[in-house]
Amino acid sequence: MIIFGTKGYLYQLAILTLVCGQCGNPAAHTLRKRVTKFTLFFVPLFPISTKYLTQCTFCGAEQKVTGEQAEQLQSQSTSGTSGRTHGQPQQHDRF
């Protein structure tokens, strides 16, 4: 018997102040990285997909961004801070 599946990890990379495309308010947006990894016997082995997104803290709207855009946004946010990421990765199990 072989047990396999996927496990999702959510990393909060930065908190940015942007104008929301949905509600039009200048609000804090979280820049997140979502990684889905293949698991074998509950051990994560390799990433299957990586997605970047921003989420407005005012209205909750999410917008997908490319990896290059995420790097640019992250470098903009770390230029004003000490260069550290915010928070810890959150795990989400999927079977």
Side-chain angles (χ1 to χ4, degrees), residues 15-92:
I15 298 176
L16 310 158
T17 302
L18 302 169
V19 177
C20 181
Q22 183 73 25
C23 65
N25 290 316
H29 285 69
T30 56
L31 176 62
R32 296 180 177 164
K33 176 181 175 182
R34 182 174 296 156
V35 180
T36 304
K37 293 187 177 182
F38 175 79
T39 61
L40 184 63
F41 294 105
F42 305 104
V43 176
L45 296 178
F46 55 87
I48 296 173
S49 71
T50 301
K51 297 178 184 175
Y52 296 92
L53 55 97
T54 60
Q55 183 177 17
C56 177
T57 58
F58 188 80
C59 68
E62 290 185 347
Q63 181 180 0
K64 291 182 182 178
V65 294
T66 64
E68 293 83 21
Q69 291 173 334
E71 287 180 19
Q72 286 180 338
L73 290 171
Q74 191 174 8
S75 66
Q76 289 174 3
S77 72
T78 57
S79 64
T81 63
S82 62
R84 61 187 170 99
T85 58
H86 302 278
Q88 296 292 323
Q90 301 171 0
Q91 298 181 4
H92 300 282

